[in-house]
Amino acid sequence: MLTVLIPWRPQPSRLPAIDAVVDWYVQNLGDVDIRTVDSEDEIFNLARCRNLGIDSIDDAGEVVVINDADTIPQLEPLLEAI
């Protein structure tokens, strides 16, 4: 199973970007576990979100991709990395 962690704090101006990223993963990889991750910090803390996301992974053998909320990866290099 592939899990995609996306550090994310909802902001109206960024909704189209995250929707595009999620749609891309679903269209290109099908059954993928996409998790948005936020911390309780008052100011958005990207590094803390990444760490919390990794801490949430249960299966040590699971493949995890950390993706920005506004970046669509290139398919072939992603598949090679996976």
Side-chain angles (χ1 to χ4, degrees):
M1 172 61 112
L2 174 66
T3 299
V4 178
L5 300 175
I6 304 175
W8 165 253
R9 181 166 288 173
Q11 295 178 1
S13 65
R14 298 195 56 178
L15 290 173
I18 193 157
D19 288 345
V21 169
V22 170
D23 288 346
W24 184 90
Y25 272 100
V26 171
Q27 289 176 8
N28 287 281
L29 299 178
D31 187 26
V32 58
D33 179 16
I34 299 173
R35 302 180 193 179
T36 58
V37 184
D38 195 358
S39 68
E40 291 132 10
D41 297 304
E42 185 175 330
I43 297 173
F44 184 72
N45 185 328
L46 181 61
R48 180 154 164 70
C49 291
R50 289 175 181 156
N51 291 338
L52 288 171
I54 292 299
D55 287 346
S56 74
I57 301 301
D58 297 325
D59 182 0
E62 189 170 354
V63 175
V64 178
V65 172
I66 300 174
N67 203 103
D68 285 337
D70 58 1
T71 304
I72 294 176
Q74 293 179 337
L75 182 58
E76 289 76 25
L78 177 64
L79 292 175
E80 285 180 33
I82 292 171

